[in-house]
């Protein structure tokens, strides 16, 4: 398992990283935590001439508040995200989903932004970020731009990021007081999700005032389960209402068949797991 | 002479000594083959076929030869004559059909992953880079994958020259052998006849340390370091395969990180490294990537099992007919064709079946060769019969444990000669079972199961049983001879008491995780009455341990350990003669205990360590006694050993998702007397993990082109501790009567026993819905499909893997696809 030869640079600012990427064109790969890229390089499924390691850029790390938004730096490790009091308070769904990522070693190395920019349909973080209407802050040669999560995930392993752009932070509205659950279904602990369901609910006076639901691995990109969200509004988050809402889970999905599951099984799981995610969130 | 006082030692046998090996192995400050570097060493990399069956039409290595650091590029045609054919030591039948098995393909490739070229370069990275510059064209041939169609006469052929894909058919019939009755009659006259087909999926040994070889031709002897289980077999086979004189070859297995049968092999890469080093006159090292392990290291299992069982309506089994198809893969490796035969004598298990017939047809396919994997033939047999016993219980609406009690051999019936012709020396199935049932809380779980069924709970409970035995301690040489195996089953040991009183034990077995150093130290310390820490165990080097047959088949303790006992006893006998001489008494007047010879009825005596010094100085030895206190013993067992046990598993099946969770696992094993209980416990835990892995997680999957799609550990789902339950284990001790320690093997027991316990539990949880089988591994999707009855019987195995995320990971090893026909 020896990668093909490549140049390695570790810029210390975002601007320097962007300049480097801009010069390199398509020949560069961005290294964040390396938990997906390094296996790809070692198996020679990619052979970039240049690897730009942005993991050491200070301004891309950490969690902070900015008015009504919670801001998670792209190079914040999974471990820091799931332990962050701010994330737990204002975006519990993100903390819960992050806790299911791989194992402690990976969570210490892997980064929030790296995982989102990798855009693996089986990855656990895109669905919560999509469901929570996050904004992705991207820096390129012409400066900063903001991409809504709904436009960020384009296809399998493909995002709205250009080759000369870097994801620097993710801005989330605060979901303070919302209940949440991430229901992950996989076969062994270190395996990717066959299907995952991210759900967060605002319950007022015993009924669902707002709901956000996202699905992992039910298509080329994470899927927002708007039908489920709509069906829940105004209902008590329990029993029959949840069952009826979950029946909408597969609307708009395009589940694929692969080594771990065929499409019809995925669709079945999506419905079952949506029901469970909602019930657990409501109970929490 | 005055005796040095020796403090009485606590009995070493049965003591949970911490392992002497662990500090080195756990910290990695040790001698793995890949850790070694010798002067002038080059690195070897192997190019592998990307296609499963093709003719090689052209090879261009010119660009690779010009790559930086490259010293040689070698293809199959360069070594076609020199490489010979990889050995198969087990020609199971006289008319067995076997193709030549080149270490490197010359003009045809027969499985994806087969070596097609190799590079020697100054660095491992340069060697790897050069592989990408080798250009090989392939012309596709029909790919043969499915064993059932491969076995038919109209199938395309793997090896054209053989005229068939069938390697051999091996049969046993109790009526012909005189060990039992006629199966056809039993089936005809049966109250109940059950016919079932089970599939033993293909598994990958997945040892932790990749295979690694360092071949050094620069000394007087040609030295090969290899991460192998079998250094002695490797040395002899290198000599026989390549014609290099055996005395000019030294093989060293340094610390070896796992094997599970996967390193019971003479590998193509060992031959290739040898030839490359020979050609260049320089040391060459090769260490594989994980993906190479997966595609090119041998696989295990892979059988289709058809069983017909005859029984009376009271549950008494009256006959068993077994028909197997076993997948050899593309070539025969060291013991490939014999693996299913190791199970042939085990289908009757612990039961008193009056009639038994077995037939196995070995079949070639365009897949990685199969060979030994933990249990080797016996897990397959145990799975099939233990599944059948549960099916019979269901058919008769009897408790599955009651069915077993009705058929098993009673403790007062040993020694018992089975319908397969083996004589089980000892056992007590009743005691082990009673203890297991008590620990498990069998009745409470049955009550809970009933409640969940009645309330149609989303989570259903299933209870699975496996009352297993196995034959291990391979093996009596005469039995191996009768099975046409190419070697004996004896073992060798030397015990040397050094002038300073310290002890060296040489064993011909070759540890790769089993703790031989600790256990042999305990055995010999106990025998000689010397401190545990004063004993060193030497192994794994054909120079320091010149005779042996290595480690596999749970044989090390029951054969190799007994050889050490005999060698130690010879040392004591010799020491007694010298002690009597020194003490001027008769040998008969000497008592030996705690390392000291004492003259009975006096306070006179001498320590064995002082006898050793006297034997070394040799100033005053009795007539006819040679200097030095050492001895050698060869031990050939008179019988196999037959560990047994009762394993009980409770699973929760989530009927919403098909997910299976092991709720409780209890096993009570009887491995006879125990030298080190902690090590035995560790063996049981590891064995259970691998057996459960077959039941629930692991499967080598090929696509329609013959590409292994589970070629990384992201796709081939080896469970970790998180995925496994807490194991509740206990032991009963019924001594083996075939050796002086009363020990049986333990290395494979957990793996053999656990798979059917888990699958029986999964089926039991779903039985009331009408499910009577779930194919292994019992993935959530398979369970869900079984439950839903959707596309019944269509789940043939394409959905087992986990996936490297969603990345297509089929191409993790270097392949020569460029410019090819695909």
């Amino acid at each position: 398992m020896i990668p093909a030869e490549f140049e390695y640079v570790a810029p210390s600012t975002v601007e320097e990283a962007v300049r480097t990427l801009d010069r390199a064109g398509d020949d560069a790969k961005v290294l964040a935590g390396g938990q997906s890229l390094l296996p790809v390089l070692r198996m020679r499924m990619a052979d970039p001439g240049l690897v730009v390691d942005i993991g050491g850029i200070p301004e891309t790390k950490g969690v902070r508040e900015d008015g009504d938004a919670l801001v998670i730096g792209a190079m914040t490790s999974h471990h820091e995200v799931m332990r962050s009091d701010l994330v737990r308070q204002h975006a519990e769904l993100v903390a819960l989903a992050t806790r299911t990522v791989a194992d402690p070693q990976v969570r210490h190395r892997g980064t929030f932004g790296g995982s989102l920019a990798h855009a693996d349909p089986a990855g656990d973080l895109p669905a919560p970020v999509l469901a929570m209407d996050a904004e992705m802050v991207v820096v390129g040669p012409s400066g900063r731009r903001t991409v809504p999560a709904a436009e960020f995930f384009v296809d399998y392993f493909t995002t709205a990021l250009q080759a000369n752009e870097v994801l620097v932070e993710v801005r989330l509205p605060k979901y303070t007081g919302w209940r949440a659950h991430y229901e992950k279904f996989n076969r062994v602990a270190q395996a990717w999700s066959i299907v995952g369901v991210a759900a967060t609910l605002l319950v007022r006076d015993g009924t669902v005032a707002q709901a956000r639901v996202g699905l992992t691995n039910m298509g080329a990109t994470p899927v927002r389960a708007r039908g489920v969200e709509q069906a829940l509004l105004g209902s008590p988050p329990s029993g029959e209402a949840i069952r009826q809402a979950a029946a909408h889970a597969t609307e708009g999905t395009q589940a694929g068949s692969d080594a771990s599951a065929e499409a019809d099984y995925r669709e079945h799981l999506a419905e079952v797991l949506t029901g469970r995610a909602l019930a657990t969130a409501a109970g929490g | 002479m005055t005796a040095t006082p020796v403090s009485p030692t606590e009995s070493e046998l049965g003591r949970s000594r911490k392992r002497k090996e662990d500090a080195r192995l756990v910290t990695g400050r040790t001698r793995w083959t890949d850790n070694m570097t010798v002067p002038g060493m080059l690195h070897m990399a192997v190019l592998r076929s990307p296609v499963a069956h093709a003719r090689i039409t052209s090879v261009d290595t010119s660009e690779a030869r010009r790559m930086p650091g490259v010293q040689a590029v070698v293809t199959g045609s360069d070594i076609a004559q020199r490489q010979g054919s990889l050995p198969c030591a087990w020609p199971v039948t006289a008319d067995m059909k076997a193709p030549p098995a080149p270490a490197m393909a010359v003009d045809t490739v027969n499985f994806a992953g087969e070596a097609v070229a190799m590079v020697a370069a100054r660095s491992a990275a340069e060697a790897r880079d050069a592989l990408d510059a080798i250009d090989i064209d392939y012309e596709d041939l029909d790919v043969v994958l499915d064993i059932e169609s491969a076995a038919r006469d109209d199938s395309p052929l793997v090896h054209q020259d053989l005229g068939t894909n069938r390697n051999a058919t091996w049969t046993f019939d109790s009526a012909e052998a005189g060990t039992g009755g006629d199966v056809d009659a039993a089936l005809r006259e049966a109250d109940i006849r059950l016919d079932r087909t089970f599939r033993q999926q293909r598994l990958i040994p997945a040892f932790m340390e990749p295979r690694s070889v360092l071949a050094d031709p620069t000394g007087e002897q040609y030295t090969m370091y290899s991460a192998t289980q079998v250094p002695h077999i490797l040395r002899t086979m290198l000599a026989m395969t390549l014609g290099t004189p055996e005395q000019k070859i030294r093989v060293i297995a340094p610390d070896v990180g796992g094997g599970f049968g996967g390193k019971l092999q003479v590998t193509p890469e060992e031959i290739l490294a040898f030839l490359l080093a020979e050609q260049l006159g320089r040391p060459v090292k090769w260490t594989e990537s994980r993906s190479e392990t997966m595609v090119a290291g041998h696989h295990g299992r892979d059988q289709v099992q058809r069983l017909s069982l005859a029984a009376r309506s009271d549950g008494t089994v009256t006959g068993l007919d077994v028909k197997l198809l076993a997948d050899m893969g593309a070539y025969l490796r060291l013991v490939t064709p014999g693996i299913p035969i190791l199970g042939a004598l085990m289908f009757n298990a612990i039961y008193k079946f009056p009639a038994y017939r077995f037939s196995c047809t070995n079949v070639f396919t365009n897949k990685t060769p199969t060979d030994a994997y933990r249990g080797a033939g016996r897990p397959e047999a145990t799975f099939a019969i233990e599944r059948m016993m549960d099916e019979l219980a269901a058919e008769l609406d009897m408790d599955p444990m009651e069915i077993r009690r009705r058929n098993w051999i009673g403790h007062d019936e040993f020694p018992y000669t089975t319908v397969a012709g083996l004589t089980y020396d000892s056992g007590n199935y009743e005691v082990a079972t009673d203890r297991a049932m008590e620990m498990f809380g069998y009745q409470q779980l049955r009550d809970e199961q009933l409640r969940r069924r009645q309330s149609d709970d989303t989570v259903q409970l299933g209870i699975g049983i496996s009352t297993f035995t196995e034959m291990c301690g391979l093996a009596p040489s005469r039995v191996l001879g009768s099975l046409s195996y190419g070697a004996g089953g004896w073992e060798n040991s030397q015990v040397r008491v050094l002038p300073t009183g310290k002890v060296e034990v040489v064993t011909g077995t070759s540890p790769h995780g089993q703790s031989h150093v600790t256990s042999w130290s305990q055995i010999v310390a106990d025998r000689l009455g010397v401190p545990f820490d004063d004993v060193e165990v030497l192994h794994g080097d054909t120079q320091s341990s010149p005779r042996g047959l290595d480690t596999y088949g749970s044989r090390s303790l029951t054969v190799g350990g007994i050889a050490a006992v005999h060698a130690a006893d010879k040392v004591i006998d010799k020491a007694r003669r010298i002690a009597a001489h020194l003490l001027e008494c008769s040998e008969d007047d000497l008592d030996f205990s705690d390392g000291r010879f004492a003259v009975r009825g006096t306070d006179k005596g001498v320590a064995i360590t002082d006898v050793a010094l006297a034997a070394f100085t040799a100033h005053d030895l009795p007539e006819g006694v040679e200097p030095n206190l050492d001895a050698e013993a060869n031990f050939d067992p008179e019988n196999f050993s037959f560990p047994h046990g009762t394993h009980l598993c409770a699973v929760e099946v989530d009927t919403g998702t098909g997910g299976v969770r092991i709720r409780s696992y209890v096993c009570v094993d009887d491995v006879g007397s125990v030298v080190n209980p902690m090590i035995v416990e560790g063996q049981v835990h590891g064995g259970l993990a691998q057996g459960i892995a077959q039941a629930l997680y692991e499967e080598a999957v090929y696509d329609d082109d013959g590409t292994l799609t589970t070629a990384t550990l992201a796709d081939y789902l080896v469970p970790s501790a998180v995925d496994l339950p807490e194991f509740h284990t206990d032991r009963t001790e019924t001594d083996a009567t075939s050796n002086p320690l009363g020990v049986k093997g333990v290395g494979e027991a957990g793996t053999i026993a656990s798979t059917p316990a888990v699958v029986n539990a999964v089926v039991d949880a779903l039985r009331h819905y009408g499910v009577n089988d779930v194919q292994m591994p019992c993935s959530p999707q398979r369970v869900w499909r079984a439950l839903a009855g959707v596309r019944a019987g269509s789940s043939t195995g394409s959905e087992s893997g986990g996936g490297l995320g969603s990345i297509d990971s089929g191409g993790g090893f270097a392949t020569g696809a460029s410019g090819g026909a695909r």
Side-chain angles (χ1 to χ4, degrees):
Chain A
M1 283 288 166
I2 302 172
E5 195 172 342
F6 56 83
E7 293 293 318
Y8 170 89
V9 292
S12 54
T13 66
V14 171
E15 287 65 32
E16 190 186 339
V18 168
R19 271 199 308 278
T20 309
L21 288 169
D22 196 39
R23 274 198 306 272
D26 288 340
D27 194 33
K29 281 274 182 192
V30 176
L31 173 69
Q35 299 307 292
S36 298
L37 181 63
L38 290 190
V40 165
L41 295 181
R42 289 164 70 91
M43 295 174 76
R44 300 201 177 200
M45 286 148 57
D47 58 344
L50 177 68
V51 169
V52 181
D53 183 353
I54 61 169
I57 300 176
E59 64 199 274
T60 62
K61 292 175 185 246
V63 180
R64 61 188 167 87
E65 289 176 279
D66 183 6
D68 291 340
L70 178 75
V71 183
I72 303 176
M75 291 302 100
T76 312
S77 74
H78 300 309
H79 179 79
E80 290 166 79
V81 169
M82 66 187 240
R83 294 291 182 93
S84 159
D85 287 337
L86 286 173
V87 174
R88 285 170 161 181
Q89 191 184 346
H90 302 299
E92 191 189 2
L93 179 57
V94 169
L96 294 173
T98 303
R99 198 177 291 172
T100 71
V101 172
D103 53 42
Q105 289 92 326
V106 170
R107 291 197 294 268
H108 274 83
R109 285 275 181 190
T111 62
F112 187 64
S115 177
L116 296 173
H118 185 53
D120 187 335
D124 294 302
L125 302 180
V129 162
L130 175 73
M132 295 169 82
D133 290 318
E135 291 182 331
M136 323 299 274
V137 180
V138 171
V139 176
S142 48
R144 214 166 244 257
R145 66 185 178 111
T146 297
V147 183
E151 295 166 23
F152 184 76
F153 301 104
V154 175
D155 205 341
Y156 290 100
F157 301 99
T158 308
T159 66
L161 282 171
Q162 300 299 308
N164 56 9
E165 287 182 321
V166 173
L167 174 65
V168 294
E169 63 189 33
V170 177
R171 301 175 69 88
L172 290 157
K174 287 182 179 171
Y175 288 81
T176 321
W178 289 50
R179 300 170 179 181
H181 184 68
Y182 184 69
E183 183 78 17
K184 176 170 181 166
F185 190 76
N186 58 1
R187 287 189 55 199
V188 294
Q190 78 275 18
W192 278 260
S193 285
I194 295 173
V195 174
V197 179
T200 189
L201 305 174
L202 183 64
V203 180
R204 277 203 199 107
D205 304 326
T207 61
V208 177
Q210 294 196 66
R212 302 280 187 274
V213 181
L215 306 178
T216 298
N217 218 2
M218 286 299 293
T221 63
V223 177
R224 179 81 176 262
R226 291 195 186 272
V228 176
E229 296 175 2
Q230 290 299 324
L232 273 176
L233 293 181
S235 306
S238 59
E240 186 58 20
I242 286 178
R243 202 191 60 73
Q244 285 181 12
H248 296 275
T250 56
E251 290 172 9
T253 62
Q254 288 182 304
S257 292
D258 60 23
S260 56
E262 288 162 25
D264 61 334
Y265 176 57
R266 277 212 161 83
E267 288 171 356
H268 167 80
L269 283 177
E271 185 175 334
V272 171
L273 300 176
T274 296
R276 291 181 184 182
L278 294 173
T280 308
Chain B
M1 178 176 274
T2 53
T4 310
V6 176
S7 58
T9 47
E10 186 185 333
S11 175
E12 282 294 341
L13 298 184
R15 187 169 173 184
S16 285
R17 283 280 193 187
K18 285 188 180 156
R19 303 190 343 151
K20 287 182 172 182
E21 301 91 329
D22 276 345
R24 283 187 303 109
L25 297 180
V26 169
T27 58
R29 290 168 184 270
T30 191
R31 303 263 286 180
W32 307 116
T33 301
D34 190 54
N35 282 355
M36 285 187 267
T37 299
V38 297
M41 187 180 83
L42 299 172
H43 295 264
M44 173 176 125
V46 177
L47 186 69
R48 301 187 179 279
S49 170
V51 293
H53 200 196
R55 213 166 276 122
I56 296 173
T57 54
S58 81
V59 179
D60 183 353
T61 60
S62 53
E63 189 190 338
R65 287 174 200 278
R66 291 193 297 268
M67 298 277 285
V70 171
Q71 303 294 298
V73 181
V74 175
T75 65
S77 56
D78 297 331
I79 54 170
Q81 296 310 309
R82 178 75 185 103
Q83 68 179 337
S85 180
L86 287 163
C88 174
W90 201 339
V92 289
T93 62
D95 61 350
M96 176 178 99
K97 290 190 188 300
M104 182 177 286
V106 177
D107 47 22
T108 308
V109 292
N110 289 299
F111 69 97
E114 187 169 2
V116 290
M118 60 181 166
V119 171
R122 289 203 180 89
S123 74
E126 287 168 328
R128 173 65 188 80
D129 285 346
L131 297 183
D132 291 344
I134 298 172
D135 197 0
I136 298 184
D137 287 349
Y138 298 95
E139 181 185 304
D140 285 348
L141 299 169
D142 288 333
V143 176
V144 180
L145 298 172
D146 174 64
I147 48 178
E148 294 190 78
S149 41
R152 288 198 281 270
D153 286 334
D154 59 353
S155 171
L157 297 176
V158 177
H159 301 284
Q160 209 63 40
D161 293 347
L162 294 187
T164 176
N165 290 324
R166 294 187 295 271
N167 152 253
T169 296
W170 195 93
T171 58
F172 175 86
D173 187 331
S174 65
E176 287 172 17
T179 53
D182 176 40
V183 169
D184 286 326
L187 286 168
R188 255 194 328 270
E189 294 154 16
D191 296 339
I192 303 282
R193 176 187 168 133
L194 283 181
D195 298 286
R196 291 285 187 278
T197 300
F198 301 119
R199 180 170 163 277
Q200 288 284 328
Q201 81 270 35
R202 179 175 276 250
L203 298 178
I204 301 177
F207 33 74
M208 190 179 287
E209 181 208 16
R211 296 175 302 156
S212 183
V213 185
L214 169 53
D216 184 354
T218 59
E220 181 55 34
Q221 288 181 314
Y222 193 120
T223 302
M224 173 172 282
Y225 297 86
S226 183
T228 180
Q229 294 175 222
V230 291
H232 298 90
I233 292 173
L234 177 56
R235 181 199 194 200
T236 304
M237 288 301 176
L238 285 171
M240 292 173 78
T241 303
L242 297 173
T244 305
E246 190 172 3
Q247 79 278 12
K248 290 293 186 188
I249 301 172
R250 175 186 181 189
V251 174
I252 301 171
D255 286 319
V256 177
F260 312 115
K263 292 174 182 169
L264 165 51
Q265 195 54 271
V266 175
T267 68
E269 294 83 2
E270 284 162 339
I271 300 285
L272 295 176
F274 191 107
L275 295 181
L276 196 54
E278 178 184 74
Q279 176 184 324
L280 297 169
R282 293 175 64 174
V284 165
K285 183 164 78 179
W286 170 80
T287 299
E288 70 185 343
S289 70
R290 177 62 62 182
S291 295
E292 284 184 282
T293 309
M294 305 299 274
V295 299
H298 72 244
H299 294 174
R301 315 280 193 264
D302 209 346
Q303 297 179 355
V304 173
Q305 310 174 301
R306 290 204 173 78
L307 284 82
S308 301
L309 182 137
R312 289 202 291 266
S313 51
D314 67 355
T316 307
V317 176
T318 54
L320 177 68
D321 190 21
V322 176
K323 291 191 180 74
L324 303 185
L325 288 176
D327 193 339
M328 305 288 96
Y331 297 103
L332 302 181
R333 295 292 193 234
L334 190 62
V335 291
T336 301
I339 296 301
I341 314 307
L342 277 174
L345 310 178
M346 283 279 102
F347 275 87
N348 51 296
I350 65 170
Y351 308 114
K352 295 183 286 186
F353 296 166
Y356 171 55
R357 186 170 60 199
F358 172 94
S359 163
C360 176
T361 297
N362 292 339
V363 181
F364 290 110
T365 60
N366 291 115
K367 288 182 279 187
T368 303
T370 59
D371 207 316
Y373 174 54
R374 203 169 189 173
R378 291 153 290 162
E380 296 93 316
T382 303
F383 176 85
I385 190 58
E386 289 303 296
R387 283 285 297 113
M388 284 304 264
M389 295 308 274
D390 259 36
E391 291 302 301
L392 179 61
E395 184 75 21
L396 294 171
D397 197 22
M398 284 176 68
D399 181 272
M401 191 59 89
E402 182 52 34
I403 280 279
R404 288 168 169 83
R405 285 184 192 278
R406 195 154 295 197
N407 286 284
W408 74 35
I409 302 158
H411 69 275
D412 51 356
E413 296 178 83
F414 290 94
Y416 183 89
T417 299
T418 73
V419 73
L422 294 174
T423 299
Y424 295 176
D425 59 335
S426 69
N428 192 324
Y429 310 140
E430 296 93 328
V431 171
T433 297
D434 291 347
R435 176 77 186 117
M437 296 283 267
E438 177 194 327
M439 288 167 66
F440 190 61
Y442 185 81
Q443 196 50 52
Q444 293 94 305
L445 285 165
R446 284 280 179 220
D447 293 345
E448 181 184 334
Q449 177 181 47
L450 185 62
R451 284 197 303 276
R452 287 179 186 266
R453 285 184 179 184
Q454 285 168 343
S455 65
D456 196 25
D457 197 323
T458 305
V459 177
Q460 290 291 318
L461 192 70
I463 296 167
I465 296 174
S466 170
T467 50
F468 85 105
T469 189
E470 58 147 331
M471 50 184 262
C472 68
L474 305 183
S477 297
R478 64 180 166 77
V479 176
L480 292 180
S482 73
L483 294 172
S484 311
Y485 182 65
W490 50 264
E491 207 30 86
N492 175 274
S493 181
Q494 299 158 41
V495 172
R496 305 194 283 255
V497 188
L498 304 176
T500 55
K502 309 299 185 190
V503 178
E504 285 177 338
V505 181
V506 177
T507 179
T509 58
S510 193
H512 40 284
Q514 296 87 347
S515 335
H516 291 21
V517 171
T518 302
S519 302
W520 273 233
S521 293
Q522 289 181 258
I523 292 168
V524 172
D526 176 76
R527 220 70 188 176
L528 299 183
V530 300
F532 169 76
D533 288 326
D534 285 358
V535 182
E536 191 69 31
V537 179
L538 309 178
H539 59 78
D541 179 343
T542 59
Q543 200 161 76
S544 64
S545 149
R547 282 190 200 85
L549 289 165
D550 308 316
T551 288
Y552 43 85
S554 303
R555 70 187 303 270
S556 289
L557 179 59
T558 50
V559 189
I562 303 306
V565 167
H566 287 316
D569 287 350
K570 285 185 180 178
V571 161
I572 294 167
D573 289 345
K574 180 172 182 178
R576 186 186 300 275
R577 289 184 66 189
I578 299 170
H581 179 72
L582 296 173
L583 295 165
E584 298 177 336
C585 66
S586 155
E587 287 179 46
D588 297 338
D589 294 336
L590 289 176
D591 291 328
F592 181 66
S593 67
D594 292 330
R596 187 170 185 270
F597 292 98
V599 184
R600 201 171 304 118
T602 76
D603 59 358
K604 289 204 318 178
V606 63
I608 193 167
T609 50
D610 290 327
V611 173
L613 184 61
F616 168 72
T617 61
H619 295 164
D620 181 20
L621 293 177
E623 190 68 27
V625 172
E626 295 176 358
N628 290 316
L629 186 53
D630 50 22
E632 177 172 358
N634 292 287
F635 175 67
D636 198 342
E638 66 185 55
N639 195 359
F640 297 94
S641 77
F642 299 96
H644 69 81
T646 297
H647 288 228
L648 300 171
C649 177
V651 300
E652 292 178 356
V653 176
D654 181 337
T655 58
T657 61
V660 174
R661 188 182 84 87
I662 296 181
R663 153 97 162 260
S664 165
Y665 197 100
V666 165
C667 62
V668 177
D669 285 297
D670 193 320
V671 296
S673 283
V674 164
V675 173
N676 184 316
M678 183 177 67
I679 289 170
V680 165
E681 177 90 356
Q683 282 280 17
V684 170
H685 280 223
L688 293 176
Q690 279 179 301
I692 291 170
Q694 176 171 15
L696 297 180
Y697 302 116
E698 296 182 12
E699 180 172 25
V701 180
Y702 284 86
D703 68 15
D704 292 342
D705 295 326
T707 303
L708 183 72
T709 60
T710 53
T712 75
L713 292 182
D715 310 281
Y716 186 82
L717 299 181
V718 177
S720 65
V722 190
D723 304 301
L724 296 165
E726 187 179 347
F727 299 129
H728 299 279
T729 67
D730 201 357
R731 286 186 291 105
T732 56
E733 289 193 13
T734 310
D735 282 0
T737 64
S738 53
N739 67 68
L741 293 182
V743 295
K744 311 173 189 173
V746 68
E748 297 161 293
T751 305
I752 293 169
S754 56
T755 310
V758 176
V759 176
N760 276 338
V762 172
V763 174
D764 185 56
L766 306 174
R767 178 91 60 189
H768 60 297
Y769 295 113
V771 173
N772 67 8
D773 197 24
V774 178
Q775 205 172 87
M776 293 191 292
C778 301
S779 67
Q781 180 169 262
R782 286 205 177 114
V783 169
W784 176 71
R785 288 210 192 286
L787 202 49
V790 177
R791 288 199 261 152
S794 73
S795 300
T796 50
S798 63
E799 68 281 50
S800 93
L804 182 59
S806 304
I807 298 171
D808 172 11
S809 57
F813 55 96
T815 60
S818 56
R822 278 161 191 271

